[in-house]
Amino acid sequence: MDLIDDEGGPAVGGDNAHAFSVSELSGAVKRALEDGFGRVRVRGEVGRVFAARSGHLYFDLKDDRAVVAAVAWKGQAARLAHRPEEGMEVVVTGRMTTFGSQSKYQIVVDDVRPAGAGALMAQLEARRRKLAADGLFDPARKRAVPFLPRTIGVVTSPGGAVIRDILHRVADRFPRRVLVWPVAVQGRGSAEEVAAAIGGFDAMTGPSRPDVLIVARGGGSIEDLWGFNEEVVVRAAAACNIPLISAVGHETDTTLIDHAADLRAPTPTAAAEAAVPVRAELLAGVRQLDARLIRAGAEAVRGRRQRVRDLARALPRPETLTEGPRQRLDLAAERLPGALRGGTARRRLALERLAGALRPRLLSAGIAAQRTRLGEAGRRLEEGARRAADARRERTKAQGDRAAAALGRAARAARRGFEERAGRLRADALLRGARDARGRLGTAQAAFAAAAGRDHDRRRRAVDRLRALNEALGYRNTLRRGYAVVRGPGGVLTHAGPARAAARLQIEFQDGEMAAVPEDAPARPARRARPKPGPDDQGTLF
């Protein structure tokens, strides 16, 4: 096409050449394009599809080397028999034009007819079947996301709106520690970076290891999201030991990492919501459970209090419980003095018997011991004398006779001495035995007297306590509070019927008793007058 100057002739280069305005140049290009390509039919794969609020439909037509923008205006879009969808291979009919505001050309579509599945979609479907056959998409291997993780790992671009949305949502719901691994989310090498980030988080140890991972990216065309369909990314997500949430694209975008992840979120914001609960809701739930616990505790206490009241009504009256013990106390108090006297007498008699049996036994034992020792000494002395006599008799008979005589005298003197000593020992032993027995008898009497006194004091205190309890629980205290005891012919009356039927009542007050007659007591039958005997009437004995 030749450029035309203002006078209709061709423009000549150089300094004097005509200068076109931008609008003039854009209009000339538009007229040349529309004249050269009036109506065309184009075959290609549908890329990104965008439906505007005005009703216009924008989408891309592409092949492996080029992309052409396409637009269907509101009226034309409503009349299309087949609405284009991303990944479809279609044949569109329309006219070529330009969009001068952005210096781009586009085709205005009048008709869309499907021409089969696109090459990218076919490749994606083949890869999906392969990975599914390897078991990477098996639902049984998916793990639950922790309820409240301490650390959240995020794999995304550090400069996009995605990371700001995730951080803002986590801070609003429940502030947690967030670790960001920056990666490229589209273009050459993006798949390898995402796979390396997932593996790096999985290899971490210690307190910094994340409890959950979020792989996130904003929306885009299938080409923009193609890195998350790569096999290296899908296998890294399936091999990760940390629960993984996939949040790639918008709600209508689906990639292969979504099938391998433990949880798919429609948007990055939804992924942050799935990772942490709402703290305010948890606090409200805790407060509600606390209130329920308090109400349940109060209700349990109330029920047990009512149960205690019901059981208390079934218990007998206190005075009924004390009637038997009070009667046994009276009987015991009556028997106690005689029992004490009898016990003291029995113990005194036993002590006297023991003392009487002990005294002769001790004396006899002392005398027998002294007699035994004296006899043993005499036998030793006689044996020694005989031995000495025999020895001297062998020396000389004369010396033996003298020695025998001397020994005889010595033996007699010794015997007399021993007899005198035995008498003294016998008397001393008897005196010592008597003194010891008297001492032990006195000690036993004192111990028995002390034990009897302590037992008597203990029983007196027990009787005093029982008497105080009897006075505290007796009916006389009730009389002091203004009550009275009504007795009839059959004993104490507790009902009005027997009291009305009694002819005479005995009422006991605090300070005395008095007799009373009820107003509605039954009248006694009048005595019949006995006729007086006449002067001639002798009467009868019957």
Side-chain angles (χ1 to χ4, degrees), residues 34 55 127 142 160 253 295 333 342 376 405 414 486 492 522 530:
E34 290 178 352
R127 185 174 295 169
K142 296 183 182 297
D253 298 324
R295 289 196 300 271
E376 186 66 25
V486 179
V492 177
R530 180 178 299 177

Side-chain angles (χ1 to χ4, degrees), residues 209-422:
R209 177 182 172 87
D211 299 314
V212 65
L213 290 184
I214 298 176
V215 179
R217 188 206 186 282
S221 64
I222 189 171
E223 292 83 2
D224 297 336
L225 304 179
W226 191 257
F228 296 95
N229 292 321
E230 295 292 345
E231 184 174 350
V232 63
V233 175
V234 178
R235 291 191 180 277
C240 183
N241 294 315
I242 303 174
L244 189 143
I245 301 175
S246 172
V248 178
H250 295 302
E251 296 183 8
T252 57
D253 298 324
T254 303
T255 57
L256 294 182
I257 194 176
D258 295 336
H259 300 289
D262 297 298
L263 179 66
R264 178 189 180 270
T267 61
T269 303
E273 293 176 355
V276 293
V278 181
R279 184 173 182 272
E281 293 179 357
L282 294 179
L283 291 176
V286 170
R287 286 193 291 268
Q288 184 179 3
L289 292 176
D290 184 51
R292 289 178 58 187
L293 179 63
I294 293 175
R295 289 196 300 271
E299 187 64 27
V301 172
R302 190 179 302 107
R304 286 167 173 75
R305 185 179 292 115
Q306 183 62 37
R307 177 62 177 167
V308 170
R309 294 196 190 99
D310 297 340
L311 294 175
R313 297 190 189 99
L315 291 175
R317 295 178 299 172
E319 55 271 15
T320 304
L321 294 175
T322 58
E323 286 179 356
R326 187 164 55 242
Q327 186 175 2
R328 290 194 297 272
L329 175 62
D330 295 340
L331 295 176
E334 292 178 0
R335 292 196 301 268
L336 181 60
L340 290 175
R341 289 190 295 271
T344 304
R346 287 193 300 272
R347 285 168 174 76
R348 181 179 292 108
L349 180 60
L351 181 62
E352 291 176 354
R353 289 176 179 175
L354 290 174
L358 182 63
R359 187 180 300 109
R361 186 177 301 171
L362 291 175
L363 294 177
S364 299
I367 294 172
Q370 293 295 335
R371 183 179 291 111
T372 301
R373 287 194 295 272
L374 182 60
E376 186 66 25
R379 284 192 297 273
R380 289 196 300 269
L381 182 59
E382 291 178 354
E383 184 177 358
R386 285 194 300 272
R387 289 177 180 177
D390 293 340
R392 292 179 180 178
R393 187 179 299 109
E394 291 176 356
R395 294 175 183 175
T396 57
K397 184 178 180 181
Q399 291 179 352
D401 293 338
R402 288 194 298 272
L407 286 175
R409 289 193 299 273
R412 286 192 297 272
R415 184 180 298 276
R416 287 195 299 271
F418 276 111
E419 289 177 356
E420 293 176 0
R421 183 180 178 186

Side-chain angles (χ1 to χ4, degrees), residues 24-360:
E24 290 173 345
L25 181 60
S26 177
V29 172
K30 180 177 182 179
R31 287 191 299 271
L33 182 60
E34 290 178 352
D35 291 342
F37 299 90
R39 287 186 62 82
V40 295
R41 293 185 69 197
V42 182
R43 178 177 180 141
E45 183 180 347
V46 178
R48 182 180 59 87
V49 180
F50 174 68
R53 293 184 179 180
S54 59
H56 308 320
L57 183 64
Y58 301 91
F59 60 96
D60 295 334
L61 285 176
K62 61 186 178 180
D63 57 15
D64 56 346
R65 290 189 299 273
V67 179
V68 176
V71 58
W73 306 123
K74 180 179 181 180
Q76 297 168 340
R79 291 192 298 268
L80 292 177
H82 300 280
R83 195 174 184 88
E85 296 179 1
E86 187 175 357
M88 291 177 57
E89 188 169 355
V90 296
V91 176
V92 301
T93 303
R95 57 185 177 85
M96 293 298 298
T97 185
T98 62
F99 184 41
S101 299
Q102 295 184 0
S103 298
K104 61 183 292 187
Y105 64 91
Q106 61 187 8
I107 180 172
V108 179
V109 178
D110 297 329
D111 184 37
V112 177
R113 294 173 182 253
L120 288 178
M121 296 302 293
Q123 180 183 358
L124 181 62
E125 181 61 22
R127 185 174 295 169
R128 187 192 67 79
R129 288 196 297 268
K130 174 187 175 183
L131 296 176
D134 292 341
L136 301 183
F137 303 156
D138 187 4
R141 54 165 297 278
K142 296 183 182 297
R143 292 152 300 189
V145 177
F147 177 72
L148 185 60
R150 292 173 297 180
T151 304
I152 302 173
V154 180
V155 179
T156 188
S157 174
V162 172
I163 186 61
R164 291 195 298 271
D165 293 343
I166 292 176
L167 294 177
H168 177 71
R169 199 60 178 159
V170 170
D172 282 348
R173 292 172 66 86
F174 205 119
R176 298 279 88 184
R177 183 186 181 189
V178 179
L179 298 180
V180 181
W181 195 300
V183 296
V185 293
Q186 71 181 60
R188 185 181 301 273
S190 62
E192 288 72 13
E193 291 187 21
V194 173
I198 295 174
F201 272 131
D202 192 24
M204 294 178 65
T205 58
S208 299
R209 177 182 172 87
D211 299 314
V212 65
L213 290 184
I214 298 176
V215 179
R217 188 206 186 282
S221 64
I222 189 171
E223 292 83 2
D224 297 336
L225 304 179
W226 191 257
F228 296 95
N229 292 321
E230 295 292 345
E231 184 174 350
V232 63
V233 175
V234 178
R235 291 191 180 277
C240 183
N241 294 315
I242 303 174
L244 189 143
I245 301 175
S246 172
V248 178
H250 295 302
E251 296 183 8
T252 57
D253 298 324
T254 303
T255 57
L256 294 182
I257 194 176
D258 295 336
H259 300 289
D262 297 298
L263 179 66
R264 178 189 180 270
T267 61
T269 303
E273 293 176 355
V276 293
V278 181
R279 184 173 182 272
E281 293 179 357
L282 294 179
L283 291 176
V286 170
R287 286 193 291 268
Q288 184 179 3
L289 292 176
D290 184 51
R292 289 178 58 187
L293 179 63
I294 293 175
R295 289 196 300 271
E299 187 64 27
V301 172
R302 190 179 302 107
R304 286 167 173 75
R305 185 179 292 115
Q306 183 62 37
R307 177 62 177 167
V308 170
R309 294 196 190 99
D310 297 340
L311 294 175
R313 297 190 189 99
L315 291 175
R317 295 178 299 172
E319 55 271 15
T320 304
L321 294 175
T322 58
E323 286 179 356
R326 187 164 55 242
Q327 186 175 2
R328 290 194 297 272
L329 175 62
D330 295 340
L331 295 176
E334 292 178 0
R335 292 196 301 268
L336 181 60
L340 290 175
R341 289 190 295 271
T344 304
R346 287 193 300 272
R347 285 168 174 76
R348 181 179 292 108
L349 180 60
L351 181 62
E352 291 176 354
R353 289 176 179 175
L354 290 174
L358 182 63
R359 187 180 300 109

